[in-house]
Amino acid sequence: MHYTVRPIEWDSADGEEARRIRLTVFVDEQKVPIEEEIDAIDPTAHHVLAVDESGHACGTGRIFPDPKEPSHAHIGRVAVSASARGTGCGMAVLNSLIEEARRAGYKRAVLSSQTHAMGFYERAGFRAYGDVYMDAGIPHRDMDLDLTK
């Protein structure tokens, strides 16, 4: 399947679609508290929305300057609807975010991966570092990607 990934405004109809996907994946499926899912970063982050060939929204993600190291892009809230998992939608979202990070001049992309999703990020070239830690009751591990290569 082919996906189109486009940048979106958070306070638009497309932003509403992104929120719907995120709430379904993180809050409904993974039981992340809603107050931890939608945060103060959302209004200023660069968001993308993936749509399938039929025009149905199926994936989303965001990028913003990492608070610990502003020269690094922080990728987060990558979420794919259950019906589109394993079809390339998530990789289309991730590749779009990596492309945006490079375009914006970031030297490195960082993210906090749920441990069960680490293989997905590794396929895109990310490497894990540090210890496993809990975030919203889910085990995570930090990962990064050198954007200068």
Side-chain angles (χ1 to χ4, degrees):
M1 173 136 337
H2 174 74
Y3 297 96
T4 301
V5 183
R6 62 180 184 261
I8 61 168
E9 296 297 324
W10 185 243
D11 59 351
S12 68
D14 284 340
E16 184 62 34
E17 283 295 308
R19 285 188 292 282
R20 179 189 58 75
I21 293 167
R22 282 175 44 181
L23 291 174
T24 298
V25 171
F26 297 124
V27 177
D28 296 345
E29 294 176 13
Q30 298 182 355
K31 307 304 180 203
V32 171
I34 193 167
E35 59 273 9
E36 291 183 36
E37 170 47 30
I38 305 298
D39 62 22
I41 296 167
D42 282 319
T44 59
H46 173 88
H47 296 268
V48 298
L49 184 70
V51 296
D52 64 19
E53 294 164 341
S54 301
H56 295 104
C58 57
T60 188
R62 71 181 187 182
I63 190 171
F64 57 93
D66 187 72
K68 296 177 208 163
E69 179 52 64
S71 69
H72 296 172
H74 190 99
I75 293 174
R77 301 303 201 267
V78 175
V80 175
S81 297
S83 62
R85 290 181 198 147
T87 66
C89 179
M91 194 58 70
V93 168
L94 184 59
N95 286 337
S96 174
L97 294 170
I98 292 168
E99 182 180 313
E100 172 60 19
R102 283 193 171 109
R103 187 200 63 73
Y106 290 105
K107 306 297 183 217
R108 184 167 297 282
V110 297
L111 56 83
S112 175
S113 174
Q114 294 179 5
T115 55
H116 73 85
M118 288 173 58
F120 167 75
Y121 294 109
E122 288 168 345
R123 285 191 294 282
F126 282 81
R127 66 171 186 84
Y129 64 92
D131 295 327
V132 174
Y133 57 91
M134 298 300 284
D135 185 7
I138 301 167
H140 284 71
R141 192 153 178 222
D142 290 331
M143 301 185 82
D144 69 354
L145 175 69
D146 183 347
L147 297 174
T148 63
K149 295 180 179 178

